[in-house]
Structure formats: structure tokens, C-alpha cells
Amino acid sequence: MTQHRRRLGAWLLAGVVLAVVLTLFQADRTGVGEHAAAPSATPSAAPSGSGAPAPGATPSPSATPSPTPAPGTAEPSPSASASACASPGACGFPDASSTGPRIALERHDTGNMSVKKDGTVIKGWDIRGSLDIYANDVTVIDSRITSTNWWGINLRPGFSGLKVLHTTITAVPGKGPDNGGVNYAVSNMGASSIEVGWCDISVFGNALSMGQGDLHDNYVHDLVAFRNQGGEWQHTDAVISGGGNKGRLILRHNTLLNSTPVDRGATAAVGLFADTGVVSSVVVDGNWLAGGAYALYGGGPGATGIQVTDNVFSTQYHPGAGAYGPVAAWNAGGAGNVWKGNRMSDGRPVVPEPTG
């Protein structure tokens, strides 16, 4: 009998222990489930449809409403911030540190000098004056030109082969012949291509003026507004072409800035205009463009063979790169015209508006 009672007590004790263990296990399981659900159980302060993140969700940068894009640009994509650029130099484009002369210079007070010998090389000169080129295959390299003439360097009709490399070309504001202004840092009046590369160019109203040429790795900046001899504000462009060109104009990997206010004549960073004929055969590739009424004028209705690719349209002066937007006068239907890979400096793609 005693042995039977002992067995019964042991079974009762085991049953009590088992009940306690099951109770504790269930309580622990219920607590874990309630903890995991806690964030979604808290009501959101924002009403439904307000644009606020859903309850329990972690807000992301894309949840913040973005401003209305400027004409010619598209809404930012989720990857836009990854391709944003803060400044030309920080994003690998030319600036003062990568352009201009690389050697010590010797001062030459040349005045407005004419160069008439083929194959002339001007190197290491700090010129107070300008160069008027009546010769073939002239090279200006590692030099500085400070002009008070209409131009810094001008290639005359009938001559070819000009190269301007690693040179600073500037002017004295208010001292030029056009009612105090100066017009062209480099002007190509000939019918053949010239090369302008790694140059630091400032002040001149239409800094690089030509229908054909190879313009690369240049830094064009700080154009100075002035009234011309007719008393009107001179139109300003970092690069300008008037059309009617027989050769090819290539603009590759330049920083082209036009900070001039629109009410003082600002036109474009790159102005392709059909002033003297149809605009054709132009490559605008991999440049940093900012300023002007529009940053780029694309040649107008008759333009053909215009390739605009992989350029950055900077917001440093205007939200739309130019005061009125990034691009105007783009002929999307022109033979050989290509628009591809162009974006704003904040990452938004640039899409030209249809022309009427």
C-alpha cells in the first residue's frame, strides 16, 4: 500500500511540473508574437492618402515630394542621386586646375600682332595683345594672352592648321573696341578645322566662334556682358556657330559656362544658330553645360547631323541649366540627329520638348 501511494505521489508531482512548463511556454510564445507586431499596431499620425509612409514603414528619400521639373527635363528616377554631380572639377570636367599653361611664361608686349610665317610656334609667351593669323600650321601652346582687341586669336580666311593648346585667353573688361567689350577669344574665319584644347578662356562675349573645329578639354567661364557699339547688350555664348559650315564642329569634354544674366544678353552655353546657313555636322559629346537663356540651342528646324550625347546640364545658375530650360531649337526629325544620354547635374534625364 505504501509503495502504491509513493507511485501515485510521484505521478501527481510530474503532472504538476508538466502543467507549469506548458503554461510558461505558452506565455513566452504569446509575448514574442505581440512584440513582433508592435510597430504596425501603432496608428499613423498622417491620414490615408497624404503621401506619408505607411504605418511601420521606414521613410526613404523618394518619399519626399520633388519640385516640378524644368521644361525639357524628366522626373527624377530612383537611381538619379547616384549619378548626381556637384561641380565640374569634382565630376572630372575641366576647370582652372586642368587647363592653361604648364610652364613659366616670359612677358611679350606684342600689341595686336600679325603672324605671317607658316609653321610658327609660340610657346611660353605671356602676351599683352592679340594674334591675327595669316599663315598655315601655326601653334600657340603653353602661353597666356590678355587682349583688348576684338579677339584673342583670329584665323584669317584661306589659312588652316591652327592649334591653340594649354593656353589662357582672357581680356580686360571695359577696354575692348566694341564699346568697351571684346568679342571672340578664338575665331575661325577660315574654311578648315582648327584645334583648341586644354585652354582656360574667360571674358570674351562669344568665346569660341567657329563653324568647324575640334574643341576639347577647355574651361570657358566668367563671360562679361557689355553693350555693343549699337548700344544693345551683346549676345553671349561660350561656343557659337552661325551655320553654313562645310566641315565638322566637335565639342568634346569641355566645361562651358555662361553666367551672364538673360537681361544682359545671355544666349547659350552652346549656341548653334542658322544665321548664315543650315547647321550641320556637329558633335556635342560629354560636356558640362550651364547658363544662357537655354544652355543649348540645337540648330533649328533645318539642322542635320547633330549628335548631342552624354552631356551634363548643370543647375549651378538655373534649375533648368538655362534660364528657360536646358535646350531649345532641337530638330528631332532631322537626318542624322541623335539625342542620347544627356542629363541634369542632379541626375534627371534631359528630354527636348517637341518643336512646332
Side-chain angles (χ1 to χ4, degrees), residues 85-145:
C85 272
S87 66
C91 295
F93 292 90
D95 61 11
S97 68
S98 58
T99 55
R102 302 162 294 178
I103 60 176
L105 305 181
E106 178 183 347
R107 179 160 174 166
H108 289 259
D109 292 315
T110 64
N112 301 326
M113 184 174 82
S114 295
V115 178
K116 297 184 177 180
K117 181 180 179 181
D118 289 352
T120 296
V121 176
I122 295 174
K123 182 175 182 179
W125 285 25
D126 184 357
I127 295 170
R128 301 303 197 272
S130 63
L131 301 176
D132 207 0
I133 312 298
Y134 294 86
N136 297 310
D137 303 318
V138 172
T139 298
V140 181
I141 186 168
D142 287 314
S143 296
R144 177 183 176 91
I145 295 172

Side-chain angles (χ1 to χ4, degrees), residues 19-346:
V20 170
V21 169
L22 289 173
T23 300
L24 291 173
F25 175 77
Q26 182 64 27
D28 181 68
R29 181 167 168 268
T30 304
V32 170
E34 288 176 351
H35 178 73
S40 61
T42 303
S44 170
S48 175
S50 66
T58 302
S60 66
S62 61
T64 302
S66 35
T68 303
T73 65
E75 290 282 1
S77 66
S79 60
S81 60
S83 58
C85 272
S87 66
C91 295
F93 292 90
D95 61 11
S97 68
S98 58
T99 55
R102 302 162 294 178
I103 60 176
L105 305 181
E106 178 183 347
R107 179 160 174 166
H108 289 259
D109 292 315
T110 64
N112 301 326
M113 184 174 82
S114 295
V115 178
K116 297 184 177 180
K117 181 180 179 181
D118 289 352
T120 296
V121 176
I122 295 174
K123 182 175 182 179
W125 285 25
D126 184 357
I127 295 170
R128 301 303 197 272
S130 63
L131 301 176
D132 207 0
I133 312 298
Y134 294 86
N136 297 310
D137 303 318
V138 172
T139 298
V140 181
I141 186 168
D142 287 314
S143 296
R144 177 183 176 91
I145 295 172
T146 304
S147 174
T148 55
N149 198 2
W150 296 93
W151 56 77
I153 301 174
N154 181 42
L155 179 66
R156 290 287 178 170
F159 300 95
S160 63
L162 174 65
K163 294 183 178 182
V164 184
L165 309 172
H166 297 285
T167 292
T168 293
I169 308 172
T170 190
V172 181
K175 299 294 185 182
D178 196 357
N179 200 26
V182 289
N183 292 80
Y184 313 113
V186 182
S187 171
N188 181 7
M189 298 177 68
S192 66
S193 182
I194 69 175
E195 181 182 3
V196 182
W198 304 285
C199 290
D200 183 328
I201 298 169
S202 61
V203 180
F204 292 89
N206 287 303
L208 296 171
S209 175
M210 62 197 70
Q212 46 273 321
D214 181 6
L215 313 179
H216 63 87
D217 301 288
N218 300 293
Y219 175 44
V220 181
H221 60 102
D222 293 309
L223 307 184
V224 174
F226 65 92
R227 295 184 187 273
N228 59 26
Q229 290 183 339
E232 301 172 334
W233 288 107
Q234 169 71 28
H235 286 233
T236 59
D237 304 87
V239 174
I240 186 170
S241 177
N245 51 300
K246 302 300 182 184
R248 194 172 185 82
L249 177 62
I250 300 172
L251 283 64
R252 181 166 284 128
H253 197 243
N254 302 282
T255 297
L256 304 173
L257 310 179
N258 185 355
S259 60
T260 308
V262 173
D263 62 359
R264 294 196 173 195
T267 306
V270 175
L272 307 178
F273 303 112
D275 293 338
T276 56
V278 173
V279 180
S280 63
S281 300
V282 180
V283 173
V284 183
D285 175 63
N287 302 280
W288 178 282
L289 310 176
Y294 290 90
L296 170 70
Y297 281 83
T304 59
I306 314 299
Q307 300 176 31
V308 183
T309 55
D310 299 323
N311 297 282
V312 175
F313 288 77
S314 171
T315 61
Q316 65 195 88
Y317 303 131
H318 308 287
Y324 306 129
V327 56
W330 173 251
N331 179 19
N337 290 351
V338 176
W339 185 279
K340 182 180 178 181
N342 302 294
R343 62 184 175 86
M344 299 295 293
S345 56
D346 59 14

